[in-house]
Every structure is written in structure tokens, then in C-alpha cells.
Amino acid sequence: MIKFNKNFQLGASISALQTEGRGITNIGKSTFDKYFEEHPELFFNKVGPDITCDITRNYKEDIKKFKEIGFDSFRTSFSWSRLFPDGENVDNDAVNFYHSYIKEFKKKNIKLIMTLFHFDMPLWAHKIGGWSSREVINKFLIYCNFVFNEYGDEIDYYVTFNEPLVPVYEGYLNDKHYPAIDDPKEAIEQAFGIFLAHSKVLLEYKKHSLKAKIGLVFNWNYTYPFSNSIKDIEAAKVYDAYVNRGPLNIMFNGRIDPILIDTLKRYNMLPNYSKEELNIITMTKIDFLGINYYFPCRVRFKPNNKNRWIMDNYIIEIPKNAKINPHRGWEIYPEALYEIGMEIKNNYNNIPWYIAENGMGVEGEDKFRDKDGIIVDDYRISFMNDHLMQIKKAIDDGSNCFGYHVWAAIDCWSFRNAFKNRYGLIELNLNDQSRKFKKSAFWFKSLIENKVLYND
């Protein structure tokens, strides 16, 4: 038996884009709306972002269910496109919706973590350059300042960005996000803009003198070399500078890894920037850190001869003997969470941190339904249990982890994946929008009530 401190927060996460749909207020188009309009066939079962969980209509019942499970805290996000549908003018109906939404969590005594940007780039912003545009960054600051003024300490924790570089890697080097191009130079410009926007928001936040903390949620898919070869070890070091520790360091306290500067110079890939902007980035300081962890990255040196930038020389490869989630093709390796906890303790000033997302997506969960109609997701319970064990081990060794959020509270729409792989503690029926607890919800409820894990 392993017991967590009574103050250890156990909860769940969702996002606006993945749960709100068009909703009950006006909302501007996002890049995912545009992507679905252009290529509905790329989205699983041609399910787009129009409805998702329809949470703007169902939030009171949903939050009632969250309270039944017993969440200590909860993370979701504001929609920039809902609050500023045209990028210029505030929509008062949207403002009032979020007040009501937040109030419902407060009534249930659930701490609230609100993200300012979770993959939902407004289409108007994309059209003028996305994060490479200083105009977009300035309008993002206007939106953020509005949120800080309007909602203030109604929020317990603010988050600037969730998984900041995922839209870059998946949209500018892959086809999973819009605009679905493969352009490393533009990817670097977008990434620098995100770093700059993050730092500027933190500086703006200080002017509001709020009690709420502000931080970052970063997807740290811990990096290992695929083998002990010198080339794989060097590949993992460079990959880490581009994907994991490198960007995390920039957004943690403004430290830019020399590997990034040297390799970008070598390929003539440095982004456009000014000395003033670099100075702003060096002033970065967050209050807490959220970590999303699903799988590790085992990096192998394998040149593809494109010779555009150094990252063309590396691939991620899963060992043949690894434990796999067959539905996602992701390696299951809870032990990396302990290493992350120790990294944060030893190299990140032991900043307060929590697991902001950790979960298991499974396709076709209906086949696990019992005679009473409940999905018996023992695989999800086992996944959470094993990862929580590693978190507790890190806590016992002095890492300052204050909580764990499962992804997700409810089955969410997941971009091109739509509802193919389900992650929720609560099942969503797409035909009638009804909700039902899975077995994991009852397990998680017991965990929250007792703060105890059983390791037998």
C-alpha cells in the first residue's frame, strides 16, 4: 500500500477545442475548422470539431459527474476564438459563459487550472502568419490581459501554453495539424514566436498582481538513445535540445541551448528576431510546471539525405521488446516519470510541478462492456496505477510534485483522430451525448477518497 499526502491533487484534464464544439455562443473559426472543411476524409469517421462533447450545453451535468468522482482539481482552457470571434471584439455571451462555467467548478470546490492556448489557433491569426507574426502575438497579449482582468483570481492556476511545440511539429513538419506542410524553416519561425509570446504573457501577468499562479504545461516525452552507439547518443542529445529539454529550458527560464544556436546556424535556419526579443525571453520565469507524459522517445541516427536541417538525421524507434499500447502504437514506460521527477528536482530548482496529462487511448472500448453496460477498462486502471507509482517514488526522493491529472475526464474529440481512441474516465455516446462512468472512474474515485495505491 502506498499513500499520497492528503494535499496531493488528483483530477483530470480536457480542453476547450476538444469538448466545446461550436457551442451556445458565437465562435470564430479555428485552423481545425478549416482543415476539416478542406479534408473531412482525413478525420476518423469524418467527425469534425463542430459538436465534440457539446460541453457548453452540458457543463453543469458534467461538473456534477466530476464532483461525483471527487476531483480535487481540473484543467481545461479558454477559447481565444470564442472570447474574440473576429480577433478584435469581445463576445459578451462568451464572457458570461465562462463566468458560469468557472462558478460551477467553484461551487463544487474543484480547483481550476485554465490554459490560454491549447492547439486552437484562430483562422484569422493563421492567415496573417500564426505565431511568426508579431501582430498575432500582440493580439494574443490583448486576449490574455482581458482574461486576467475579467477572471482574475476566480482561477487557481493559469497556463500560457499546453504542449507548445506540438502544433509546430504536427502542422509545419507533418500533416496532423493545419496547415499540414513540411517546412523546417517555417517551423522554426513558429516556434520562436511561441517562445516570445509565452515570455511576453508572463511579463504582462505580473502587472495584474493576482494570487493565482501562472505556469506552462509541457509534453516531456523523455529522451533516450536507441542504443549505446556514439551516433545514437549524439542523436538523442541533439533531439533533446530540439524537442524536450531545449524548448523546456527556454520556456522555464529563458536559457537557449547552444546546440540549437550552433545547428541552426550551420543550416542557415536561425529565426528572425531582435535583441529586444531575446532579452524578453531571458526574463522568463514561471511559478509552476505541468508535465504531459505518455511515452518516451528513443532516438536513432538515420540520415534521410534531405539535408534541410539537422533533425532530418534522426528517427524515433521503439525497441522490439517494449511494452506497447497497440491502439496508439506508443511505448508504455512509466519509469521515465521517475527520471522526470528527478530532473525537475535537480535541474529545475525543484519547482512545484504536476502531471497535467497521462492516460491511455483505446479503440473499440465497446468490446470491454460488461453485462451491466459499463466499460471495464482495467488496462486504463493498470496504466494509471503504474505511472502513479513512479510519481510517488519521485516524491519520496524529494521531487516537488503536487498532483496528477488523467487525460481525460471524458472521451474527447482528438483532432484528426476524432473519437477513434477513447481516453475518458467517462464514456461519451456520440449519438445522444449521454455520459456514463467507466470502471476507471470508480477506481479513481476510491483513489481520491483514500489517497492510497495498492501495489499488489
Side-chain angles (χ1 to χ4, degrees), residues 8-69:
F8 186 76
Q9 295 180 29
L10 290 162
S13 294
I14 57 173
S15 80
L17 176 59
Q18 294 172 266
T19 59
E20 288 181 4
R22 302 302 298 174
I24 59 173
T25 76
N26 188 22
I27 186 171
K29 284 188 177 181
S30 74
T31 51
F32 269 102
D33 292 312
K34 182 67 171 174
Y35 201 7
F36 183 70
E37 285 177 9
E38 292 180 356
H39 293 288
E41 74 281 0
L42 296 178
F43 292 72
F44 184 72
N45 284 345
K46 295 185 178 180
V47 175
D50 281 357
I51 299 174
T52 65
C53 306
D54 208 12
I55 210 165
T56 67
R57 292 182 175 86
N58 294 296
Y59 71 93
K60 289 187 178 180
E61 284 303 309
D62 285 338
I63 296 170
K64 184 179 177 182
K65 279 185 166 54
F66 301 160
K67 185 61 179 178
E68 283 184 57
I69 298 173

Side-chain angles (χ1 to χ4, degrees), residues 323 325 327-328 332 358-365 368 375-388 404 406-412 420-427 437-441 443-444:
K323 186 178 180 181
N325 173 359
H327 304 276
R328 291 307 314 254
I332 298 175
N358 177 243
M360 187 174 184
V362 171
E363 184 179 358
E365 285 197 308
F368 299 106
I375 290 173
V376 181
D377 52 343
D378 290 326
Y379 44 85
R380 182 167 291 113
I381 293 169
S382 176
F383 183 96
M384 291 189 289
N385 189 87
D386 291 349
H387 285 79
L388 278 159
Y404 172 91
V406 64
W407 183 271
I410 186 170
D411 291 335
C412 293
K420 180 181 180 182
N421 293 299
R422 304 293 188 103
Y423 284 84
L425 300 176
I426 301 170
E427 176 192 0
F437 290 132
K438 302 176 189 177
K439 182 180 177 181
S440 57
W443 179 87
F444 206 63

